[in-house]
Amino acid sequence: MPRAPRTGDWLTLLVLTVFWGSAFMFNAIALESFSPSTLVAARIAIAAAIIFVYMRASGIQLPRFGRRWLPMLFMALMGNVLPFQLVAWAQQYIASSLAGVLMAMMPLFVLTLAHFFVPGSRLTPLRVAGFGMGFVGVIFVIGPDALREGGGGFALWGALAALAAALAYAINTIYARRLGAVEPVSLSAGILIIGSLLTLPGAIIDVPELATPTAGALLAVLFLGALCTGVATLMYFRLV
């Protein structure tokens, strides 16, 4: 059974909220110079490099290659590669604010999946009401006009892609919770290394067509990789 949350857990969650919430804005800036595939590959590669250096400096080793890497492969796909690619593609056609609203569906997905797959996390009317109020609150804070913004004919597909990303994150959260106690640093490093390898081919294809990136786009990618992905992934698995 999970232990009761402590003050440090809530502070970690607050920092994660800032990192993840700001990622939509930095995605929009980076997409002015980078394709979705290149952006995702660079973001994950930067995160992998930072976490790997931290891991080695801490004297922690990656698990020996074998079946223990299969869970990391699944989490790399569902927690990084797939949702990052979906959100980056979606933000070409929908506003960052709308992407944020749609990603707020993730807790509802987690709540529903946890009812079936996590012991002690039954779906109660109070939990449904709480998360429903939270989602309505997100829409209210961002503004109803965000729901009417779009990018032409692809706006609906962009919205569906953002929802699919939220579902992927939710599946990853449930899977990580069911793993039990694991070493978070080596787990984070392994996941990000796999993610880098999976996204490299798409980035290589797109690189020749890229224009010279702006300083703002480069800084946005650096922020996304170092904080929104690298540090955030480590904090996330420590919290889970």
Side-chain angles (χ1 to χ4, degrees):
M1 294 295 291
R3 62 169 172 79
R6 301 167 183 166
T7 302
D9 298 326
W10 292 111
L11 292 175
T12 299
L13 183 60
L14 176 62
V15 174
L16 279 173
T17 301
V18 173
F19 285 162
W20 287 340
S22 63
F24 300 105
M25 176 185 68
F26 288 105
N27 259 345
I29 296 173
L31 286 170
E32 295 176 358
S33 297
F34 295 94
S35 69
S37 296
T38 308
L39 167 59
V40 171
R43 175 180 179 177
I44 297 178
I46 292 170
I50 290 174
I51 297 301
F52 184 79
V53 170
Y54 174 78
M55 180 190 71
R56 299 297 294 173
S58 303
I60 300 171
Q61 300 288 333
L62 285 170
R64 183 170 298 179
F65 186 76
R67 294 182 61 184
R68 294 179 63 184
W69 282 75
L70 292 178
M72 291 189 289
L73 172 61
F74 181 83
M75 287 189 284
L77 286 169
M78 302 305 295
N80 290 145
V81 177
L82 183 59
F84 287 178
Q85 189 71 41
L86 286 170
V87 170
W89 184 86
Q91 285 193 249
Q92 296 178 110
Y93 307 107
I94 62 175
S96 300
S97 55
L98 177 54
V101 169
L102 296 171
M103 289 300 294
M105 287 294 294
M106 176 193 164
L108 294 177
F109 290 144
V110 171
L111 183 69
T112 304
L113 293 172
H115 174 76
F116 298 101
F117 298 108
V118 179
S121 299
R122 292 192 61 80
L123 195 61
T124 64
L126 183 60
R127 288 180 177 178
V128 173
F131 279 102
M133 291 174 63
F135 181 66
V136 172
V138 170
I139 297 177
F140 177 79
V141 169
I142 294 178
D145 289 341
L147 298 176
R148 292 192 291 269
E149 295 179 7
F154 283 95
L156 175 59
W157 291 109
L160 293 175
L163 284 174
L167 178 59
Y169 278 132
I171 293 172
N172 186 66
T173 297
I174 297 299
Y175 187 83
R177 178 66 185 84
R178 288 181 60 86
L179 276 181
V182 293
E183 208 297 308
V185 178
S186 62
L187 179 66
S188 300
I191 288 171
L192 292 170
I193 289 172
I194 294 173
S196 296
L197 296 175
L198 293 175
T199 55
L200 183 60
I204 292 175
I205 293 173
D206 285 350
V207 163
E209 300 180 4
L210 297 179
T212 302
T214 65
L218 290 172
L219 288 174
V221 172
L222 182 61
F223 186 91
L224 286 166
L227 299 180
C228 298
T229 308
V231 175
T233 298
L234 182 59
M235 296 174 68
Y236 168 76
F237 284 116
R238 286 190 183 278
L239 190 63
V240 172

